[in-house]
Amino acid sequence: RTYRIKGETIDDLGMMKEVVHRWLKKQETWPDLVLLDGGETHLKTITKMLEENGVNDKFEIAALAKREETLHLLNREPIILDKMGRVFVHARDEAHRWVNNYHRKSRNRKAISDPLESISGLGAKKFQNLIRHFGGRKGIEHASMNQLCEF
């Protein structure tokens, strides 16, 4: 599942809190484990948010730090993963690949979108007529407000 960040926060922890909080609202059943991408700080931040929402005892939570592929668990010593624990690393890497693809596609869509498409009430026919009347997008761009209103 992908989430578009709605809040104003631009830091990793804030965005993760928003996504996990939104995810909590939709849950009817709980998983056995929630695996976070991050280290001990991510684990503590999300655990605190789960406690505030009263669901910290519903499932196990762990955070996988990239450096040395360390798995952080609450009230336990960190585990440096060997070959047997690589499934967690592969899951995290696949999540990164998925999310990077999603963001790349959304950025590309924004880059090629036409600002005129965002005007409410401007359909395909009216759009074509505007282009013809003003001789293209540049003509529309350089037209005065009166010219646009008269059209």
Side-chain angles (χ1 to χ4, degrees):
R1 178 175 296 271
T2 52
Y3 289 88
R4 185 171 290 143
I5 302 300
K6 294 179 180 178
E8 296 297 315
T9 186
I10 57 169
D11 67 297
D12 189 38
L13 286 171
M15 289 187 285
M16 187 178 282
K17 271 178 70 172
E18 178 187 330
V19 167
V20 173
H21 190 264
R22 286 168 53 194
W23 172 81
L24 285 175
K25 291 178 185 178
K26 295 181 178 183
Q27 292 307 302
E28 294 176 10
T29 60
W30 301 105
D32 295 327
L33 173 71
V34 171
L35 182 62
L36 303 173
D37 178 23
E40 194 171 3
T41 306
H42 290 79
L43 180 65
K44 287 180 180 177
T45 302
I46 299 302
T47 301
K48 183 179 176 191
M49 191 267 302
L50 293 173
E51 287 172 359
E52 291 168 359
N53 286 282
V55 295
N56 58 315
D57 60 342
K58 302 281 186 195
F59 48 83
E60 288 289 322
I61 185 165
L64 182 57
K66 195 164 197 155
R67 189 178 50 185
E68 296 180 9
E69 307 297 6
T70 307
L71 189 66
H72 295 275
L73 300 150
L74 286 176
N75 304 320
R76 296 185 196 155
E77 287 295 315
I79 303 167
I80 297 175
L81 299 177
D82 59 5
K83 286 187 178 188
M84 297 296 286
R86 296 318 260 183
V87 69
F88 291 119
V89 175
H90 291 301
R92 186 219 31 229
D93 292 346
E94 180 63 15
H96 280 175
R97 187 191 66 76
W98 176 266
V99 116
N100 288 336
N101 250 351
Y102 169 77
H103 287 295
R104 192 175 304 115
K105 284 180 184 176
S106 71
R107 280 193 305 269
N108 287 343
R109 264 187 249 122
K110 286 178 189 172
I112 62 172
S113 69
D114 193 329
L116 293 174
E117 292 174 358
S118 64
I119 300 172
S120 64
L122 184 62
K125 285 283 188 192
K126 187 75 135 179
F127 181 72
Q128 281 180 337
N129 291 337
L130 271 171
I131 296 282
R132 283 191 193 116
H133 181 77
F134 290 103
R137 285 178 174 72
K138 287 287 184 193
I140 296 170
E141 189 176 314
H142 295 295
S144 70
M145 188 61 76
N146 287 339
Q147 290 173 318
L148 290 170
C149 289
E150 286 173 5
F151 175 76

